[in-house]
Amino acid sequence: MNSISVRALLVRGMLAGLIAGALALAVAYFLGESRVDAAIALEEAHSHDHGGGEELVSRTMQATGGLATGVLVFGVAVGGIAALVFCYALGRIGDFGPRATSALIAGAALLTVYVVPFLKYPANPPAVGNPDTIGKRTTLFFLMVALSVLLAVAAVIIGKRLAPRLGNWNATVVAVAGFVLLIGLSYAFLPSFDEVGKDFPATLLWEFRLSTLAVQATLWTVFGVVFGYLTERLLTPAARAATPRTAGAVS
């Protein structure tokens, strides 16, 4: 794959990420923001500090401009990264076309970058969590992300090396089992945090966490579909152009 193709794929990845981010933004706004507001109201109702200073950024700005900036920039950034991964993975992880490769990368990213870390360190709304541990919790979350991605890459490499001896199916089973085992050990040895107060509504906590999962699922699903479509149009123009001529010759 030459530099022109890589640059074109990078642009398409960022564009697909922008589109995916826009749809994820809609999900975050309509599903997540009401839960955040409810958690903030609960926090204020239980707070004994009624003389706090003026907030630097209003809640309205956080829920609109701040949310939009964060989600859209994140979408463009991960779209570009996923496009570079696609450039390397196409043709190296199996006999998959552009759309299938894009779908596999999007699914793997959702699993390794969010779902696996989420199961160990799920997202918490305002009023949940000790402020003194936020730095440690953030560090451990990103450590879990790094472990998940590295172990997934290792599983793919090991699976490909075992395939000639065990066959594709058995090699895949061994690689997936090894990934699950090591992730389970990571869950067991890394510290956990149970900082949800007994008076915090379980339903609100559950709905907030589901909304964050829905945002990520929307982002990566839309990215996989859009980027797969764009890459197929870019990388297989000859096949599309030949189809009408072939049909005309047959008729």
Side-chain angles (χ1 to χ4, degrees), residues 51-67:
E54 183 180 356
E55 59 183 3
L56 297 178
V57 181
S58 67
R59 174 64 191 138
T60 301
M61 179 58 68
Q62 294 174 18
T64 54
L67 178 66

Side-chain angles (χ1 to χ4, degrees), residues 194-210:
D194 185 10
E195 300 178 344
V196 180
K198 294 181 180 180
D199 58 344
F200 193 89
T203 300
L204 177 58
L205 178 64
W206 178 245
E207 290 177 346
F208 174 83
R209 289 176 174 175
L210 282 182

